Amino acid sequence: MGEKKSMLRVGFSKTQMAFLAFMFLAISCATYATMGQYVQYYTLHDAAEYNKVYSKGEEQSVNQEMINEDMQLPVTDQEEQRQMAMKNTIRELLKDGIQEEDIQRIQKEISDKGEKTPEKIDEIITEITGMSRVYLMFYDAAKIRKGTLNEFREYVSDQVAERGHIPLVYKYVEFFLLYSMFAMIVYGTLRYKKYCDPYFTDNLTYRDQMTVSNLFLAEFLPILTFGAAALMLNSLFYLGSVGMDLRDLKTGLFFPLTILVQIFFVCSLCLFVNYITKKWLVSDVLVVLLIFYSNSSVQVSEVETSVPIKPLSILIRYDKPFFENFQKANWVANDLLLLVAGGAMLFGCSFLLKKQK
C-alpha cells in the first residue's frame, strides 16, 4: 500500500462551522456583558430607572448627585477644576498630619504668586510639606465630577446631537477586539497546530497547489467570514438598541470590520510560527505578549497616561471617559502594517510549503 497522504481542505466543514459559531457567540456575549452599562447611558429616562441601575439601592431624586462613578460629568471650567483639586488636596494633607498653619501658608503663597498651573502649585505644596504630586493627583481626578440625573440627561442629549452614537461604537470595538484576541489564542492552537506536525506538512498532496490564495481559502476565509457576520450583527444590535441614525451607519457598520485585520494578522502569525518552530506554544506566547504590548500605557503629561496605538498593536483601547473618546491616531497606518506583515507571513508559509521536499 502507498503512503497515506494528507490534504489541505478548502471550504467549511461542519465541525469548523459549529466551532466558529460558538466562538463568536461567546465573544458577543462577553462583549454585551461589558457593554450593558454603556448602552444604558442612552436609555436612562426616569428617576426610578436611575435609582435601580445607578444608586445601589438608595433612594434618590433626580436632583441629587449620583453615587455611581460611571456616570460622572466632565469638568470644562479650569477654575472649578482647581478649586475641587485644592479642596481634596487640603483634606488629604490634614489627614496625613500636616498642620493648619502650613495649609494657610500654602494658600497664601499660591495667592501671592498668582499661580494657576498645576505643576507650579504642586511645587509650592511639595516645598512646604515635603509631599510631592498630591495636588497633581487630585487635579487629574478633578477632570470629572458627580452630577444629577437631569444634568446627565442634558449632557447625553448634547453629545448625541453633536456626535450621534459613535462613542458606543468605539467601546464596542474595543471590547469585541479584546475578547477576540483572547479567543484567538485557543483558535490558533486548535486550527494551526497541525502545521507543527512534520507528518502533515511532509505528506501534503498537490504541493504545487499550495498557493497563497489556496492557503487563504483553506485557513483564513472561514474565520474571517464568520467574524464579518458576527461584527455586522453586533453593530446592528447595538445601534438599534439606542436608536441609530444615518450619521451612525458609516462608522457603526464599517469601522468594526477593521477587527478582521487583527484576526487576519494573528492567524498569519500562528500559521507561520507553528510551521517554522514546530511548537504551537511559541505562537500562543507571542499572541499573549502582543496583547500586553498593545495594552501598555505611556505617560503623556505629568498627570495623564494613555494607551496609544503602537506599531503592530492588536488592541485598540479607548481609555478616556466614555463620551470623550475619539478615533485613535495611527489606527489606519497600524492596520496597513498588520496587513503587510500578515500577508508576508502568509506568502512565506506558502513559499516554504511548496518548496519543501
Side-chain angles (χ1 to χ4, degrees), residues 140 143 292-310 316-321 324-329:
D140 184 51
K143 289 180 179 178
F292 280 106
Y293 161 74
S294 305
N295 197 45
S296 61
S297 60
V298 297
Q299 195 81 26
V300 296
S301 70
E302 285 286 336
V303 295
E304 185 179 0
T305 60
S306 180
V307 183
I309 296 181
K310 300 173 281 292
I316 304 176
R317 303 312 305 266
Y318 294 98
D319 49 347
K320 294 184 178 297
E324 296 180 37
N325 283 308
F326 291 86
Q327 186 57 272
K328 289 280 190 175

Side-chain angles (χ1 to χ4, degrees), residues 61-336:
S61 73
V62 294
N63 291 316
Q64 286 181 297
E65 286 189 348
M66 58 201 170
I67 294 177
N68 190 284
E69 296 178 354
D70 293 327
M71 294 182 63
Q72 292 178 327
L73 304 176
V75 175
T76 56
D77 186 338
Q78 287 190 344
E79 183 59 33
E80 180 185 0
Q81 185 177 355
R82 281 193 291 268
Q83 290 177 2
M84 291 172 59
M86 183 55 68
K87 177 183 176 181
N88 291 326
T89 300
I90 291 173
R91 184 187 298 116
E92 183 68 19
L93 292 175
L94 290 173
K95 188 168 65 175
D96 287 344
I98 302 300
Q99 299 298 314
E100 184 67 36
E101 293 79 6
D102 290 330
I103 300 296
Q104 294 175 359
R105 181 184 168 193
I106 290 171
Q107 293 174 319
K108 184 177 185 304
E109 189 164 341
I110 292 173
S111 176
D112 291 345
K113 293 183 177 180
E115 295 292 0
K116 293 185 180 296
T117 60
E119 290 78 14
K120 293 294 184 181
I121 293 174
D122 190 72
E123 287 179 8
I124 293 173
I125 294 173
T126 302
E127 181 181 342
I128 295 174
T129 67
M131 299 177 62
S132 63
R133 298 188 62 82
V134 177
Y135 179 81
L136 291 177
M137 177 183 68
F138 285 112
Y139 184 82
D140 184 51
K143 289 180 179 178
I144 53 178
R145 67 173 178 84
K146 294 181 178 181
T148 66
L149 173 60
N150 285 338
E151 286 178 315
F152 193 79
R153 284 178 184 162
E154 182 180 353
Y155 175 62
V156 172
S157 297
D158 291 341
Q159 290 294 315
V160 172
E162 180 181 349
R163 301 179 62 198
H165 300 92
I166 302 306
L168 184 69
V169 176
Y170 291 156
K171 296 303 289 186
Y172 152 55
V173 167
E174 174 185 356
F175 291 114
F176 194 99
L177 179 56
L178 175 65
Y179 296 129
S180 294
M181 291 302 100
F182 283 115
M184 288 304 300
I185 298 174
V186 178
Y187 180 82
T189 299
L190 296 177
R191 181 65 184 174
Y192 306 119
K193 187 178 180 180
K194 60 190 177 186
Y195 287 91
C196 298
D197 184 2
Y199 178 84
F200 174 80
T201 55
D202 291 348
N203 295 290
L204 275 170
T205 57
Y206 312 117
R207 194 170 295 281
D208 60 330
Q209 295 182 10
M210 292 299 298
T211 62
V212 172
S213 59
N214 284 344
L215 200 57
F216 178 86
L217 291 173
E219 302 295 0
F220 294 4
L221 181 62
I223 188 172
L224 294 178
T225 302
F226 272 80
L231 286 166
M232 293 296 285
L233 290 173
N234 276 274
S235 296
L236 291 171
F237 170 77
Y238 286 116
L239 293 176
S241 65
V242 296
M244 67 176 176
D245 54 37
L246 292 177
R247 291 177 304 166
D248 301 325
L249 286 177
K250 181 179 179 181
T251 301
L253 291 180
F254 296 108
F255 175 60
L257 293 178
T258 59
I259 292 176
L260 299 177
V261 174
Q262 281 83 359
I263 292 177
F264 167 73
F265 172 78
V266 173
C267 285
S268 297
L269 178 69
C270 292
L271 175 67
F272 184 75
V273 171
N274 283 359
Y275 178 69
I276 293 297
T277 66
K278 307 300 182 186
K279 291 180 173 56
W280 57 268
L281 188 60
V282 176
S283 62
D284 285 354
V285 170
L286 286 175
V287 174
V288 171
L289 290 176
L290 277 171
I291 290 174
F292 280 106
Y293 161 74
S294 305
N295 197 45
S296 61
S297 60
V298 297
Q299 195 81 26
V300 296
S301 70
E302 285 286 336
V303 295
E304 185 179 0
T305 60
S306 180
V307 183
I309 296 181
K310 300 173 281 292
L312 296 180
S313 289
I314 59 174
L315 299 178
I316 304 176
R317 303 312 305 266
Y318 294 98
D319 49 347
K320 294 184 178 297
F322 180 71
F323 287 106
E324 296 180 37
N325 283 308
F326 291 86
Q327 186 57 272
K328 289 280 190 175
N330 302 325
W331 73 272
V332 174
N334 184 62
D335 277 2
L336 291 175

